[in-house]
Amino acid sequence: MKNFSGKIAFITGAASGAGLGQAKVFSKAGMKVAIADVRQDALDKAVGEIIAYSGVPASDVLALKVDLTNRAEYTAAADKVEATFGGPPHLLIQTAGVNSFGPIEASTFEDFDWVMGVCLDHVVNGLLIFVPRMIKAYAHKTEFYVATTSSMGAFMSGSGCGPYSAAKAAVNNLMYSYAEALQPYGAGATVLCPGNINSNIGNAEKFRPEHLKNTGYHVSEGTMAHLRSVHATGIDPVELGEILKEAIESERVICLPDHNPENWANQLRGNNATIEDYTLPRAEREAKAAARMAEMMKNFAPPAGGDKDAPPVMGWAVPEGAEKFGQGRKDLDWLDPSRK
Ligand code: NAI
């Protein structure tokens, strides 16, 4: 898809972070933008930000408060876009997501339902609601396209964020299928796989729905502060939106947002090697993993001003006053305390 001006975009999770960055970018590219999110206060703020950024009239931005895991609500939002902008979106970008970190063996049904509900089910909902409408309205007449924000986590297992990694891996697979399926209609699909975004996802637990609050993970103001400090080092959402726009224009199926593609290629090769090694007996697999880790560590710079022979520090420092995120709930006394 190369021409955006005058067309319609529907972007989920666009009241914040990556989705808001995408809304700014595609609004500036001349699109009418519908932004869907579950938080009304954040939507109200986002509308002002989008208009200030792109200079479009207020009538070109439609804010929709919707829980995208609810199919009836999502369908009503789709109807509202058609009624307001005169047709279904030419560009569907599904970016809403939440994250929660903790040992996979501590996870509750609610942890899975919340994370997979937003990260996977909402994507399925949007594809089933919108793609038939988009085909009927636009196939072979005008450009249309679907994109989803997944994660680098789609390519690796995550014993510390199992539901999230499983959801994102499924989203990627789904988007490969749609990329193939939409070709005959003259359309395409892209799945964006960022590593770290400077967004508000570190606060996601604050907005977890009441009926899904029962978690097996240790969550507190302190763990959220730690998570926020990690995401503060991530890519700027508008810059990420521009990278996605280029990927849509050039119809890349996977969009890996790095200025140095070799970085991602190396990471993917490492992840693929790990999966290949799952077929090996444990001793052999662990020896290969240790060798690969030693090789990888050669590329890490020693801490600034530190001893250059000292082992490099992995992971993120825990800011003062914060607690490390990713731990199990403290009353789950059967969890192995030696786990990372
Ligand atoms: P964010 O928290 O800033 O934005 C996500 C938005 O989704 C929020 O505004 C939230 O209200 C909305 N949302 C959550 N549940 C919803 C529901 N049921 N219905 C409607 N809206 C809902 O977070 P961020 O980081 O911008 O996340 C965007 C996407 O990027 C997510 O899919 C996330 O998994 C992905 N991602 C984020 C990374 C990061 O480092 N922040 C890294 C890789 C991927």
Side-chain angles (χ1 to χ4, degrees):
M1 181 169 181
K2 291 199 166 45
N3 300 301
F4 301 100
S5 189
K7 295 201 170 94
I8 303 161
F10 186 98
I11 307 176
T12 72
S16 171
L20 177 54
Q22 292 157 359
K24 288 178 180 171
V25 167
F26 288 99
S27 170
K28 197 160 197 166
M31 300 192 87
K32 293 184 171 65
V33 174
I35 59 170
D37 204 289
V38 74
R39 295 177 301 127
Q40 186 66 56
D41 53 340
L43 277 168
D44 295 341
K45 199 161 158 270
V47 169
E49 278 192 42
I50 294 165
I51 292 170
Y53 182 82
S54 60
V56 295
S59 56
D60 281 1
V61 183
L62 174 66
L64 297 158
K65 182 186 176 303
V66 46
D67 176 353
L68 298 154
T69 65
N70 181 312
R71 290 175 184 158
E73 279 189 37
Y74 203 151
T75 304
D79 294 343
K80 177 89 188 191
V81 175
E82 290 206 43
T84 309
F85 288 151
H90 302 80
L91 175 61
L92 169 66
I93 308 180
Q94 302 203 90
T95 293
V98 292
N99 203 349
S100 193
F101 290 89
I104 189 166
E105 69 274 24
S107 308
T108 59
F109 285 118
E110 288 83 357
D111 290 322
F112 270 90
D113 286 350
W114 181 47
V115 174
M116 295 195 87
V118 182
C119 291
L120 175 60
D121 296 351
H122 114 265
V123 173
V124 174
N125 291 346
L127 291 166
L128 269 60
I129 290 166
F130 276 124
V131 168
R133 298 183 189 211
M134 294 163 88
I135 291 174
K136 280 186 221 163
Y138 305 128
H140 308 298
K141 286 185 224 144
T142 185
E143 294 176 305
F144 68 104
Y145 208 89
V146 298
T148 298
T149 304
S150 179
S151 167
M152 196 62 200
F155 301 110
M156 50 186 115
S157 58
S159 65
C161 55
Y164 184 81
S165 297
K168 295 297 188 181
V171 163
N172 270 45
N173 201 288
L174 201 57
M175 293 306 282
Y176 310 151
S177 299
Y178 270 91
E180 211 179 297
L182 291 178
Q183 264 180 14
Y185 303 98
T190 291
V191 60
L192 171 67
C193 300
N196 189 12
I197 308 167
N198 186 359
S199 74
N200 295 306
I201 205 165
N203 289 325
E205 287 284 358
K206 289 189 184 170
F207 311 112
R208 194 194 264 242
E210 211 49 51
H211 69 288
L212 298 176
K213 284 260 192 249
N214 176 40
T215 179
Y217 313 144
H218 175 59
V219 176
S220 68
E221 279 299 331
T223 61
M224 283 187 272
H226 183 199
L227 205 47
R228 282 195 298 273
S229 75
V230 171
H231 291 300
T233 66
I235 188 169
D236 172 71
V238 169
E239 186 185 349
L240 187 63
E242 293 288 358
I243 293 172
L244 175 63
K245 181 166 168 280
E246 186 283 329
I248 292 172
E249 283 162 345
S250 54
E251 298 196 28
R252 296 174 201 273
V253 176
I254 298 179
C255 173
L256 299 174
D258 196 294
H259 296 297
N260 180 1
E262 224 9 62
N263 290 343
W264 289 106
N266 282 334
Q267 177 98 42
L268 287 182
R269 276 192 280 269
N271 296 341
N272 286 342
T274 303
I275 291 171
E276 258 182 75
D277 289 356
Y278 284 151
T279 60
L280 299 174
R282 181 171 182 164
E284 210 179 314
R285 186 173 74 233
E286 289 183 350
K288 281 185 80 175
R292 213 172 23 250
M293 179 58 83
E295 193 54 38
M296 201 176 91
M297 295 302 251
K298 285 187 193 160
N299 298 325
F300 276 85
D307 173 2
K308 72 177 170 41
D309 296 323
V313 181
M314 292 290 281
W316 285 280
V318 184
E320 207 173 325
E323 292 171 275
K324 196 172 172 199
F325 68 84
Q327 310 297 302
R329 219 172 61 203
K330 292 192 191 303
D331 62 314
L332 302 184
D333 56 8
W334 47 268
L335 288 174
D336 184 342
S338 73
R339 79 183 321 291
K340 284 180 276 158

